[in-house]
Amino acid sequence: MNYRELAATIIEDIGGEKNIRQLTHCATRLRFNLKDESIVAEEKLRNTTGVMGAVSKGGQYQVIIGSDVGNVYKEVMDQTSIETKEDFGPSRKKGVAAVIDTITGIFTPILPAITASGMLKAVLSLLVVFNWLSVESQTYQILNFMGDAAFYFLPILLAASSAQKFKTNMYLAMMLGGILLHPSFVAMVTQAKEAGTAISLIGLPVSAVSYSSSVIPIILSVWFMSYVEPIADKVSPKAIKFFSKPLLTIFVVGTVSLVAIGPLGYIISDAISNGITTLESLSPWLVPVLLGTFTPLFVATGTHYGLVPIGINNRMTMGYDSVIYPGMLASNVSQGAASLAVGVKSKNKELKQLAFSAGLTGIFGITEPALYGVNLKYKTPLYGAMIGGGLGGLFMGIMKVKNFTGGSPGLLTLPSYIGDNTLSFFYSACIGAGISVIASFIATFILYKDKLEEPTTIEDAPTLKRTIEKETLVFAPLTGEVHSLKEVNDGVFSEGILGEGIAIIPTENKVYSPVNGVITATFDSGHAVGITSDEGIEILVHVGIDTVQMNGEGFNYLVEKGQNVEVGDALLTFDMGLIKEHGYNVITPVVITNSALIGDILNTETGAIQVGDNLFKIYG
């Protein structure tokens, strides 16, 4: 692969250097913050050799490269001056997108350090369990504090990455982390706890709280500093600004952090861990099952990084994580196994090579090559991976498997389940991973079929499932303008994860039944409806994007689940103006969710459409 040429192509297709606000990368993706995503040559970018896919989600435009991402990133940086830019301007992201963008930007840069520490601790645990190393030896003690380093000094690592994200001085932020971790403060906290005395700063009470290994307090403190520093700059006389600006900033932020923000962050962290403990006691299997099943969708949309801090917080507060990492382990190895099953079954030489390579990478913890190169593209491997991930997550949830040191969930990080002086969690994690691999492989092997080539002569036509006698029509449920599903700013729809379909920008506020059938899905939020036709076609009409967050406001069902409907029956009403006021896009995906199991689907052309017009023709 010519990394230089690939980088140049990506820069051009992304809209040029002038369109790039910021660029980071993770294990497989280039993560762009762009000024204007509408000028991206997306179709050309997706078809570029070396690019596995592209998706806009979580406040970023993500270009999936695979394991070569580091080399491509270096070339992009070498060919631009992005690294010299410090002011990327105000973020245009709002709501959930802004939160996910912030979390991703903060945690992605520190993952290598956390992974290194976690794996070192896992290997050390393995050496002790098998009596290859004594805990009294100096070798153990040195390796132990080496492994603890990234976790103990996590506030300083997070301070640096938070400062980059919040556009404030990195070194003052790291100093702020040092304040929270200073040995003198730690000693004061220890003494106050033992003696039952109070700590005060200029008469203000300071909570006796330890911040080593904490996550939330330092992030909140640096965020606060991003507002204080400009004020300090403004009020400082020009002649003494060099020392007065940092002095005012660190005094104000340091004081507020010790007195208010730090304790608040500690309370939030403690509340999260208590909530996880309660959930674990009531239903320990639920979250691992959900994550094992749906993590591929989170990865496809880039929102899985929002879960990483929860797992880290669990380990920092409780000493282990029993919900996030076990579920992700089941999902990741299932993704790899599904891709391997395609490699075994497919007769396409190029696909076999890709599937085997991506499958091995997936079971070791890096799933994007398998997800974008194979599973999402061919759909049935994705279903197989979700089945295997759910079953593996169920087993690990029932067994209350604990992860002690993190790392990228996969076979290579199984030692991270060694802890509490027992191998029981390690054994259970191995069995759970095995269940995921076997179930996913078998399900995918059964479901996957190589795509048939289009017939070139009339004699070839019988090899297809298409028969005019079985033609079924699906009519338009909305009046508006038809667009390609790829234009929907949600990877779950635009990547075809839920199935084939189209999108309609509505001009009226009512949804009608597109088929004769039965209502099979309604939602508390009222934003979508599922219908199954008499022929077995499953259709989802999803009004707007992210409108589930409106919690039902502006939506009203006119039917109930289980009710029989006919073409043209009114199903629900919605307030288009209110959706726009809340900042959500009204574009409405209409998806055939079981498109992989029915015949060929012919979509209508884009353009204006009326309720009752033909939308799809399906041939059995």
Side-chain angles (χ1 to χ4, degrees):
M1 181 184 296
N2 189 317
Y3 301 122
R4 186 169 186 80
E5 291 182 4
L6 177 57
T9 301
I10 291 173
I11 294 169
E12 178 184 353
D13 293 345
I14 215 77
E17 179 181 348
K18 64 182 183 299
N19 193 38
I20 303 173
R21 290 181 180 273
Q22 190 176 14
L23 171 63
T24 58
H25 77 89
C26 57
T28 56
R29 311 180 189 201
L30 295 174
R31 295 173 171 269
F32 290 93
N33 290 83
L34 300 178
K35 296 177 182 177
D36 184 1
E37 291 187 3
S38 67
I39 66 174
V40 175
E42 186 165 309
E43 197 63 32
K44 182 182 176 185
L45 184 62
R46 290 174 183 268
N47 293 326
T48 299
T49 301
V51 174
M52 292 185 174
V55 61
S56 175
K57 197 62 181 176
Q60 296 178 328
Y61 194 87
Q62 303 168 16
V63 180
I64 299 92
I65 303 297
S67 57
D68 291 318
V69 67
N71 295 317
V72 180
Y73 171 81
K74 182 178 182 299
E75 285 295 339
V76 172
M77 300 303 282
D78 287 345
Q79 294 178 39
T80 64
S81 57
I82 300 172
E83 69 272 20
T84 64
K85 300 177 183 178
E86 295 184 359
D87 183 11
F88 299 101
S91 172
R92 298 183 182 182
K93 308 301 177 183
K94 296 180 180 180
V96 176
V99 173
I100 294 174
D101 178 42
T102 300
I103 291 173
T104 303
I106 290 173
F107 280 90
T108 299
I110 70 166
L111 287 180
I114 294 177
T115 301
S117 275
M119 290 307 299
L120 189 56
K121 292 284 286 185
V123 171
L124 193 59
S125 296
L126 199 61
L127 294 175
V128 172
V129 168
F130 286 102
N131 294 317
W132 294 335
L133 190 65
S134 169
V135 293
E136 287 82 20
S137 68
Q138 288 188 338
T139 298
Y140 171 86
Q141 294 171 22
I142 292 174
L143 290 177
N144 191 46
F145 76 66
M146 287 173 61
D148 280 336
F151 296 117
Y152 183 86
F153 294 104
L154 188 59
I156 295 179
L157 299 178
L158 288 171
S161 59
S162 297
Q164 289 181 316
K165 192 62 186 175
F166 296 131
K167 309 298 180 292
T168 192
N169 188 285
M170 180 190 299
Y171 301 100
L172 287 179
M174 294 171 70
M175 179 181 175
L176 189 60
I179 291 172
L180 298 181
L181 297 177
H182 198 281
S184 295
F185 177 63
V186 173
M188 292 176 68
V189 168
T190 302
Q191 184 178 358
K193 287 181 177 179
E194 292 176 350
T197 57
I199 304 174
S200 65
L201 172 63
I202 56 175
L204 299 172
V206 175
S207 297
V209 173
S210 174
Y211 296 107
S212 64
S213 306
S214 62
V215 174
I216 297 176
I218 189 63
I219 294 176
L220 293 178
S221 297
V222 176
W223 174 70
F224 177 65
M225 190 176 82
S226 69
Y227 289 94
V228 172
E229 188 179 23
I231 297 174
D233 179 76
K234 187 175 181 179
V235 301
S236 293
K238 190 173 183 179
I240 60 172
K241 183 176 293 188
F242 176 77
F243 59 83
S244 63
K245 174 184 172 181
L247 172 63
L248 288 172
T249 300
I250 207 66
F251 177 75
V252 171
V253 179
T255 300
V256 174
S257 296
L258 290 173
V259 171
I261 296 178
L264 174 62
Y266 180 84
I267 292 172
I268 295 173
S269 296
D270 195 51
I272 292 174
S273 64
N274 288 336
I276 295 296
T277 302
T278 301
L279 181 63
E280 186 179 22
S281 63
L282 296 176
S283 182
W285 55 269
L286 179 60
V287 177
V289 168
L290 293 176
L291 288 179
T293 304
F294 296 109
T295 289
L297 308 187
F298 297 147
V299 174
T301 57
T303 55
H304 61 301
Y305 277 106
L307 301 171
V308 172
I310 299 176
I312 294 174
N313 184 74
N314 291 343
R315 289 197 303 275
M316 297 305 101
T317 54
M318 299 187 297
Y320 63 87
D321 169 45
S322 60
V323 291
I324 303 300
Y325 276 76
M328 286 187 166
L329 169 64
S331 175
N332 284 5
V333 297
S334 293
Q335 287 278 342
S339 184
L340 289 174
V342 172
V344 171
K345 191 172 182 180
S346 177
K347 296 180 181 179
N348 184 309
K349 292 183 179 179
E350 292 183 1
L351 177 57
K352 288 176 78 72
Q353 182 179 359
L354 171 63
F356 278 125
S357 174
L360 289 174
T361 305
I363 63 174
F364 290 139
I366 305 298
T367 62
E368 277 89 342
L371 178 63
Y372 287 97
V374 180
N375 299 348
L376 274 177
K377 186 175 182 180
Y378 297 100
K379 305 296 188 303
T380 49
L382 177 65
Y383 306 148
M386 293 174 74
I387 291 171
L391 292 174
L394 175 62
F395 175 83
M396 285 190 274
I398 292 173
M399 300 304 294
K400 297 183 179 181
V401 172
K402 297 179 181 180
N403 177 282
F404 297 94
T405 55
S408 181
L411 296 186
L412 290 180
T413 56
L414 284 174
S416 65
Y417 293 84
I418 299 173
D420 284 354
N421 298 317
T422 177
L423 287 174
S424 61
F425 301 119
F426 171 72
Y427 292 146
S428 294
C430 291
I431 295 172
I435 291 172
S436 298
V437 169
I438 294 170
S440 178
F441 187 94
I442 292 174
T444 302
F445 194 85
I446 294 172
L447 294 174
Y448 175 78
K449 294 180 181 179
D450 280 333
K451 285 188 174 182
L452 294 173
E453 298 294 331
E454 288 293 328
T456 56
T457 67
I458 192 67
E459 289 78 12
D460 294 329
T463 62
L464 295 183
K465 296 167 63 178
R466 181 177 299 166
T467 57
I468 293 297
E469 289 76 16
K470 295 184 179 179
E471 175 183 291
T472 302
L473 300 180
V474 176
F475 301 96
L478 293 154
T479 294
E481 184 174 333
V482 175
H483 290 260
S484 167
L485 205 59
K486 292 183 178 180
E487 297 180 36
V488 178
N489 188 24
D490 189 322
V492 172
F493 294 108
S494 62
E495 296 289 341
I497 295 173
L498 290 181
E500 296 183 39
I502 53 86
I504 298 175
I505 297 179
T507 55
E508 296 182 0
N509 295 328
K510 189 176 287 187
V511 175
Y512 299 85
S513 178
V515 292
N516 296 331
V518 63
I519 302 299
T520 49
T522 57
F523 305 84
D524 291 341
S525 54
H527 70 295
V529 62
I531 315 108
T532 299
S533 76
D534 292 340
E535 297 80 12
I537 302 168
E538 298 174 3
I539 303 160
L540 174 69
V541 182
H542 190 288
V543 181
I545 302 303
D546 292 331
T547 46
V548 64
Q549 299 180 54
M550 293 178 65
N551 297 316
E553 185 181 2
F555 295 92
N556 181 45
Y557 279 124
L558 305 177
V559 291
E560 297 179 352
K561 185 176 180 180
Q563 180 177 331
N564 291 316
V565 293
E566 296 182 354
V567 173
D569 287 351
L571 304 183
L572 68 87
T573 61
F574 57 94
D575 190 330
M576 190 158 29
L578 189 62
I579 293 174
K580 293 179 180 179
E581 284 180 19
H582 279 74
Y584 301 116
N585 195 327
V586 296
I587 191 168
T588 299
V590 182
V591 179
I592 299 176
T593 56
N594 64 338
S595 52
L597 304 177
I598 63 177
D600 298 305
I601 302 171
L602 179 64
N603 295 350
T604 187
E605 298 293 330
T606 57
I609 197 167
Q610 298 286 326
V611 168
D613 289 350
N614 177 51
L615 191 64
F616 303 114
K617 286 184 179 180
I618 300 174
Y619 301 92

